[in-house]
Amino acid sequence: MDGAQKKFEAAGANIVLIGQSTPRHAARFRSRQGIGLTVLADEERESYKAAGAKIATMSELIGPRVAAKGLLTSLKTGRAQTRTIGHPAQLGGAMVIAPDGTVVWSHMSDDAGDNAPPEEILEAVRSAAS
């Protein structure tokens, strides 16, 4: 997502990551990953609950398809999963939220390898802006 930041900004969007951590952990994650995005901390996972993000089953975390996708993503991006902070089975998602707070697009992960492609999110941003 960090690599697509300029495209999102050109479309009028601000990217904000929300992690299930403390502010200190969020700052360390941002620094360690070398990303220039805003990272917020939600230790109680209230935003995850409000968004409808689910808690994964064991197969949704480490099933063969999920493991293979994770390995391919790591090889492609050069980034790997680091130590888990917070609930280890908490899945995330992506949302496009209008300035008035309306959710105009949402993708909640079905398993640990189910992430919306940045291009799909960017298209939702562009559609919302028009």
Side-chain angles (χ1 to χ4, degrees):
M1 214 32 150
D2 192 44
Q5 183 175 4
K6 287 184 176 37
K7 291 179 184 178
F8 279 87
E9 288 172 351
N14 294 316
I15 302 173
V16 177
L17 305 179
I18 303 174
Q20 55 168 339
S21 62
T22 65
R24 191 187 92 214
H25 284 119
R28 193 162 57 216
F29 169 81
R30 188 172 180 258
S31 173
R32 191 173 49 236
Q33 294 294 321
I35 57 176
L37 302 172
T38 300
V39 180
L40 302 178
D42 180 9
E43 194 171 9
E44 300 301 318
R45 298 182 295 126
E46 294 300 324
S47 60
Y48 290 78
K49 294 169 192 165
K54 72 180 195 176
I55 302 295
T57 64
M58 192 60 75
S59 65
E60 292 168 337
L61 285 175
I62 59 171
R65 187 180 71 76
V66 174
K69 186 170 183 182
L71 178 61
L72 289 173
T73 299
S74 288
L75 291 171
K76 185 169 59 170
T77 64
R79 294 186 182 195
Q81 174 71 40
T82 58
R83 183 171 73 98
T84 300
I85 304 291
H87 194 300
Q90 177 66 65
L91 297 179
M95 302 175 86
V96 175
I97 303 172
D100 68 359
T102 304
V103 176
V104 296
W105 181 89
S106 175
H107 172 90
M108 291 295 114
S109 299
D110 285 325
D111 60 46
D114 181 24
N115 298 306
E119 300 80 23
E120 185 178 327
I121 303 168
L122 183 58
E123 182 56 38
V125 168
R126 288 178 177 146
S127 292
S130 60

